[in-house]
């Protein structure tokens, strides 16, 4: 089913690269900085430091070296021949972020932010995590740089993702279980912001998605765009042309933003973000923020959120802890409003089905997050000519989800 | 003249400092909340800060977080808070500041918020996560500026930013006494005395009230020479939490208010 997001209420006068966000961190009507005064000076300082330091050749060189020799970039772009054969439609390529160090795209961003923290002279980092992938990636770079590290994680996610809790602790991080609310990613992020208010003078907050107050959505996007940049180059090499469609899962939306961003000004490349429909959107137990949410302010920026009529944030649900977030990055809200990207939703059962298909057909165990993207890509590919090229961002590997998958089978 | 300005003028004449009392609207339930607030007003609160509960109060500590959760469970929202203010206005003329996070106001609608706030008898609003940089989108929907816009200044705020904030503030400036969330620690008087003099030199006569970390009469007494008033919130919410099933909850909060006011 195609949605009707082709109309473009937000006119683009110049390439989106150059204009987004504006000087106040706004992506059209979204984004901005909605935080308490205690944090405002810190994020203004961060914005200035990021602008200054990221422009230095020495910083970029060090980051490139780390991405190559530590994170293992570039990750492959793999033609999934058996999956393509089974569907009998468009050719599906997998961008293998699951092969990056720590098993997910999260390492691109945490290397960037921790390196920035180091150049800013900060020795302590904190982060929030849902599935634990961002927590593991942050703990990893903290160990690499000899930084003190504290990770906030909802008690429900601590339970669902205990292997990742062990990994973080092995890497020397302190995992702080967050009991408030539903004990998931939203609550972990709220608690991390609260802690940051108290420790803001010497602590760098490594936000894991293209969410939060400006400059985070821009900064995380910039650190993740390596996914799209590589995809472009690799697809040109493999097929001599750009892909026809990009598909990526969207919780907060960092892996999708990283894949989409370098293609925004290539109008022939269709972009599909895939949200978690949980038990189904009609049941109310889902995480389809762009599909079923409305405009609000959460965790420092204006974007689509899941909320009730009184502006109270609602609980999100997904079988995948990494998509279980009632907000979304503001740039995705803009892409949706402009009609530049289309956002679909896949439910728990659909994600599980795609998970098993990829295991059986390609010998790859995908994260449940990525399985949502894969499930939608299979629908998009079906009935299309083989000459059509679809890239699915395989944002992470599924080792962390084996317990959940086993349970779902039982 | 706005009730808040009037109040500070009266206090100045009497050489008194303001006790600004924060309480979450609807905690532990709307009926008892109204009784608690009435008692607070009778017991010496000069300005009432009425907290509109929000599901994700990132600037608040655990005590106020829990109070918000109780109030939300009891069905509180912005329109019901306005009803409470309207009912209070029948019996008391204490200036009332609606304290909120931005999202409930955004959902309610900026213009409607302005109209209903004034209609119900509120005098000001403090939106904890709406810095001056983002507040035009709300205030441009306000036909006049009859509703005072209380601004926050933090220990991390640099001096030139203090000046800019002071220029766009009305009612009073809320000086956050410590780098942290509500209800944590005690104010550091040396730092606070530096902060208040820095801020006062820049705020052109707007009253300055100090909050965060003030829970006991001795804190209030120590801080009061530095400011025009003190804000106390978590201390009251602790009492409400401890006595939520006790019929004497309102009088216990009232006693705390009396002791704090006496120390100012």
């Amino acid at each position: 089913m195609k949605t009707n997001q082709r109309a473009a209420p937000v006119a683009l006068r110049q390439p989106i690269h150059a204009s987004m966000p504006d000087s106040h961190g706004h992506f059209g009507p979204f984004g901005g900085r909605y935080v308490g005064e205690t944090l405002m000076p810190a994020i203004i300082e961060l914005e200035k430091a990021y602008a200054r330091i990221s422009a230095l050749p020495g910083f970029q060189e060090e980051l490139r070296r780390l991405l190559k020799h530590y994170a293992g970039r570039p990750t492959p772009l793999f033609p999934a021949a058996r999956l393509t054969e089974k569907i009998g439609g468009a050719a599906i390529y997998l961008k293998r972020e699951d092969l990056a160090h720590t098993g997910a795209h999260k390492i691109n961003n945490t290397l960037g932010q921790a390196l920035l923290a180091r150049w800013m002279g900060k020795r302590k980092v904190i982060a929030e995590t849902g599935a634990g992938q961002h927590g593991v990636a942050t703990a990893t770079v903290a160990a690499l740089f000899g930084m003190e590290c504290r990770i906030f994680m909802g008690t429900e996610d601590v339970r669902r993702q205990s292997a990742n809790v062990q990994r973080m602790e092995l890497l020397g991080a302190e995992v702080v279980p967050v009991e408030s609310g539903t004990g998931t990613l939203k609550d972990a992020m709220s608690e991390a912001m609260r802690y940051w208010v108290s420790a803001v003078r010497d602590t760098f907050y490594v936000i894991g998605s293209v969410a939060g107050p400006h400059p985070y959505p821009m900064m995380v996007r910039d650190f993740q765009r390596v996914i799209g940049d590589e995809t472009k180059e690799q697809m040109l090499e493999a097929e001599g042309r750009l892909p026809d469609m990009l598909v990526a899962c969207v919780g907060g939306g960092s892996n999708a933003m990283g894949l989409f961003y370098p293609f925004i000004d290539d109008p022939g490349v269709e972009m599909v973000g895939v949200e978690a429909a949980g038990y189904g959107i009609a049941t109310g137990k889902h995480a389809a923020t762009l599909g079923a949410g409305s405009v609000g302010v959460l965790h420092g920026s204006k974007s689509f959120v899941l909320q009730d009529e009184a502006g109270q944030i609602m609980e999100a649900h997904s079988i995948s802890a990494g998509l279980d977030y009632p907000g979304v990055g503001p740039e995705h809200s803009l892409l949706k409003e402009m009609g530049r990207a289309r956002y679909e939703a896949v439910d728990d059962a659909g994600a599980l089905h795609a998970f098993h298909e990829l295991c059986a057909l390609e010998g790859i165990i995908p994260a449940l997050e990525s399985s949502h993207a894969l499930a939608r890509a299979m629908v998009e590919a079906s009935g299309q000519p083989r000459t059509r090229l679809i890239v699915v961002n395989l944002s992470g590997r599924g080792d962390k989800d084996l317990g959940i998958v086993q349970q779902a089978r039982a | 003249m706005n009730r808040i300005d009037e109040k500070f003028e009266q206090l100045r004449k009497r050489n008194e400092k303001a006790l600004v009392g924060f309480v979450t609207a609807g905690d532990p339930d709307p009926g008892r909340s109204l009784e608690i607030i009435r008692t607070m007003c009778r017991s010496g609160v000069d300005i009432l800060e009425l907290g509109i509960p929000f599901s994700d109060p990132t600037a608040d500590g655990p005590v106020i977080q829990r109070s918000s959760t109780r109030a939300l469970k009891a069905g509180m929202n912005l329109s019901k808070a306005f009803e409470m203010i309207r009912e209070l206005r029948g019996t008391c003329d204490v200036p009332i500041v609606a304290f909120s996070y931005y999202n409930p106001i955004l959902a309610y609608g900026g213009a409607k918020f302005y109209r209903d706030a004034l209609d119900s008898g509120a005098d000001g609003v403090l939106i904890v996560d709406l810095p001056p940089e983002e507040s035009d989108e709300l205030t441009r929907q306000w036909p006049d500026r009859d509703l005072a816009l209380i601004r926050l200044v933090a220990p991390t705020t640099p001096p030139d930013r203090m000046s800019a904030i002071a220029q766009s503030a009305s009612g009073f400036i809320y000086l956050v006494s410590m780098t942290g969330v509500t209800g944590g620690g005690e104010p550091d008087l040396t730092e606070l005395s530096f902060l208040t003099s820095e801020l006062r030199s820049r705020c052109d006569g707007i009253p300055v009230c100090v909050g965060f970390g003030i829970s006991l009469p001795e804190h209030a007494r120590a801080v009061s020479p530095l400011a025009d008033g003190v804000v106390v919130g978590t201390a009251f919410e602790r009492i409400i939490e401890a006595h939520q099933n006790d019929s004497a909850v309102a009088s216990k909060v009232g006693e705390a208010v009396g002791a704090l006011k006496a120390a100012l």
Side-chain angles (χ1 to χ4, degrees):
Chain A
M1 186 188 80
K2 296 250 177 186
T3 57
N4 54 355
Q5 291 300 328
R6 290 289 126 192
V10 182
L12 274 186
R13 289 204 181 78
Q14 52 176 324
I16 193 168
H17 282 63
S19 61
M20 290 298 144
D22 68 13
S23 58
H24 291 96
H26 294 124
F27 296 89
F30 306 108
R33 278 188 274 234
Y34 297 85
V35 297
E37 177 56 25
T38 307
L39 292 181
M40 271 309 276
I43 58 178
I44 291 169
E45 181 204 341
L46 175 61
E47 181 195 10
K48 287 182 183 153
Y50 175 62
R52 185 173 54 82
I53 294 169
S54 68
L56 298 174
F59 175 84
Q60 288 298 341
E61 181 47 39
E62 195 175 352
L63 181 57
R64 257 196 306 275
R65 221 171 33 236
L66 285 164
L67 286 171
K68 181 174 177 189
H69 297 293
Y70 187 73
R73 303 207 69 88
T75 60
L77 181 69
F78 174 69
R82 295 217 327 129
L83 181 67
T84 299
E85 200 53 48
K86 176 150 186 201
I87 293 164
I92 294 179
Y93 276 80
L94 303 174
K95 179 59 176 165
R96 298 289 309 275
E97 290 301 295
D98 59 316
L99 291 178
H101 182 46
T102 73
H105 70 290
K106 297 288 186 186
I107 194 75
N108 307 326
N109 171 46
T110 56
L111 273 174
Q113 287 196 48
L115 192 60
L116 180 64
R118 192 160 80 162
W119 281 58
M120 288 172 74
K122 307 234 175 189
R123 301 293 313 267
K124 294 181 183 174
V125 295
I126 57 166
E128 82 294 337
T129 197
Q133 292 303 88
H134 175 60
V136 168
T138 305
T140 298
V141 296
L144 177 68
F145 292 157
M147 289 168 162
E148 207 177 290
C149 178
R150 193 179 290 231
I151 306 288
F152 295 86
M153 188 170 185
T155 46
E156 170 64 14
D157 290 337
V158 167
R159 188 187 61 74
R160 287 197 284 189
Q161 304 285 348
S162 61
N164 274 340
V165 174
Q166 286 173 41
R167 291 165 80 195
M168 285 182 266
E169 288 174 347
L170 281 172
L171 292 161
E174 184 194 340
V175 179
V176 182
V178 176
E179 283 196 28
S180 56
T182 46
T184 58
L185 180 54
K186 160 181 95 98
D187 309 296
M189 191 155 179
S190 291
E191 199 58 33
M193 290 186 86
R194 266 181 213 116
Y195 179 84
W196 196 34
V197 172
S198 313
V200 66
R201 291 177 201 267
D202 66 351
T203 301
F204 189 105
Y205 181 12
V206 182
I207 290 184
S209 196
V210 285
H214 177 64
Y216 282 101
M218 169 180 79
M219 188 166 70
V220 177
R221 171 199 76 193
D222 293 351
F223 288 138
Q224 291 292 4
R225 68 169 290 172
V226 64
I227 303 171
D229 285 334
E230 284 177 9
T231 299
K232 209 170 207 180
E233 200 174 302
Q234 290 165 325
M235 190 55 105
L236 284 170
E237 198 180 314
E239 299 275 357
R241 65 181 183 88
L242 294 181
D244 297 293
M245 181 184 281
L246 307 170
V247 186
C249 65
V250 176
S254 72
N255 88 81
M257 209 59 239
L259 177 66
F260 292 175
Y261 186 59
F263 292 93
I264 286 176
D265 293 329
D266 297 310
V269 181
E270 210 181 327
M271 298 171 176
V272 180
V274 185
E275 299 190 302
Y279 294 139
I281 290 180
T283 66
K285 286 185 172 291
H286 61 82
T289 307
L290 286 164
S294 53
V295 178
V297 167
L298 175 66
H299 295 147
S301 67
K302 189 190 273 184
S303 193
F304 277 78
V305 295
L306 295 178
Q307 58 183 336
D308 67 14
E309 283 177 4
Q312 306 297 340
I313 307 303
M314 298 196 315
E315 297 169 12
H317 168 82
S318 168
I319 192 168
S320 157
L323 299 182
D324 202 343
Y325 183 62
V328 66
E331 197 164 7
H332 282 295
S333 291
L334 179 65
L335 293 179
K336 175 194 156 83
E337 290 288 281
M338 287 177 4
R340 179 63 190 92
R342 166 157 65 87
Y343 294 87
E344 306 284 356
V346 164
D347 64 13
D348 290 352
L352 279 167
H353 172 71
F355 175 95
H356 289 296
E357 288 286 89
L358 199 69
C359 290
L361 292 168
E362 302 288 355
I364 298 172
I365 302 173
L368 281 174
E369 289 85 346
S370 321
S371 302
H372 286 76
L374 198 64
R376 183 65 209 182
M378 286 154 67
V379 174
E380 298 284 345
S382 165
Q384 298 290 317
R386 187 62 50 91
T387 50
R388 196 167 155 78
L389 308 174
I390 298 181
V391 175
V392 182
N393 200 22
L394 211 66
S395 56
R397 66 176 191 227
D399 311 33
K400 67 186 173 63
D401 296 320
L402 297 187
I404 297 170
V405 173
Q406 289 295 344
Q407 221 172 20
R409 272 197 152 166
Chain B
M1 196 183 204
N2 187 297
R3 281 190 198 92
I4 300 171
D5 302 335
E6 260 171 37
K7 175 63 80 172
F8 279 107
E9 206 172 276
Q10 286 166 16
L11 290 168
R12 232 184 323 254
K13 280 183 192 150
R14 299 203 301 254
N15 213 9
E16 268 181 45
K17 298 300 168 78
L19 175 63
V20 183
F22 168 95
V23 71
T24 302
D27 177 29
D29 58 59
R32 281 186 296 169
S33 182
L34 197 61
E35 192 193 336
I36 290 166
I37 293 164
R38 284 200 170 118
T39 312
M40 288 172 82
C41 294
R42 278 200 303 271
S43 310
V45 154
D46 295 301
I47 295 173
L48 180 76
E49 232 181 62
L50 192 62
I52 312 299
F54 179 52
S55 52
D56 293 78
T58 49
D60 284 297
V63 175
I64 292 181
Q65 275 181 61
R66 290 196 297 268
S67 81
S68 306
T69 307
R70 286 193 296 274
L72 287 172
K73 273 194 186 138
M76 186 45 57
N77 58 34
L78 198 42
S79 14
K80 286 182 184 162
F82 285 141
E83 280 169 34
M84 280 182 83
I85 296 174
R86 196 167 280 123
E87 276 203 66
L88 278 167
R89 276 285 165 257
T91 54
C92 85
D93 63 350
V94 169
I96 298 176
V97 174
F99 173 102
S100 182
Y101 286 80
Y102 186 40
N103 202 47
I105 296 177
L106 187 64
Y108 196 82
K112 186 164 181 276
F113 173 83
Y114 177 82
R115 203 175 51 240
D116 291 355
L118 287 175
D119 281 356
S120 69
D123 307 286
V125 59
L126 194 168
I127 308 167
V128 69
D129 58 351
L130 192 70
E133 284 86 342
E134 303 289 355
S135 59
D136 280 358
E137 68 176 29
L138 179 71
T139 55
R140 73 166 169 251
Q141 302 177 59
W142 295 4
D144 302 293
R145 288 293 168 90
D146 296 334
L147 198 62
L149 192 60
I150 288 86
R151 297 281 195 201
L152 293 155
V153 166
T156 48
T157 308
D160 54 343
R161 187 172 164 84
M162 279 185 186
S163 308
I165 291 173
Q167 272 183 0
S168 68
S170 51
F172 62 90
I173 293 179
Y174 187 137
L175 176 64
V176 175
S177 73
M178 67 175 72
T179 309
V181 293
T182 53
E186 289 178 17
D188 173 344
L189 283 178
T190 318
E191 195 192 358
L192 196 54
S193 129
F194 172 76
L195 270 174
T196 46
S197 64
E198 187 75 52
L199 176 58
R200 279 170 168 289
S201 72
R202 292 163 189 278
C203 71
D204 223 12
I206 299 180
V208 172
C209 294
V210 174
F212 282 43
I214 298 170
S215 58
L216 298 170
E218 49 261 44
H219 302 150
R221 189 176 303 123
V223 168
S224 84
L226 302 173
D228 301 289
V230 298
V231 189
V232 179
T234 299
F236 303 137
E237 286 299 346
R238 278 206 187 96
I239 298 172
I240 296 173
E241 181 162 57
H243 298 277
Q244 51 183 305
N245 298 316
D246 184 340
S247 59
V249 61
S251 64
K252 291 207 186 291
V253 176
E255 280 165 30
V257 168
L260 283 157
K261 179 64 188 178
L264 287 174

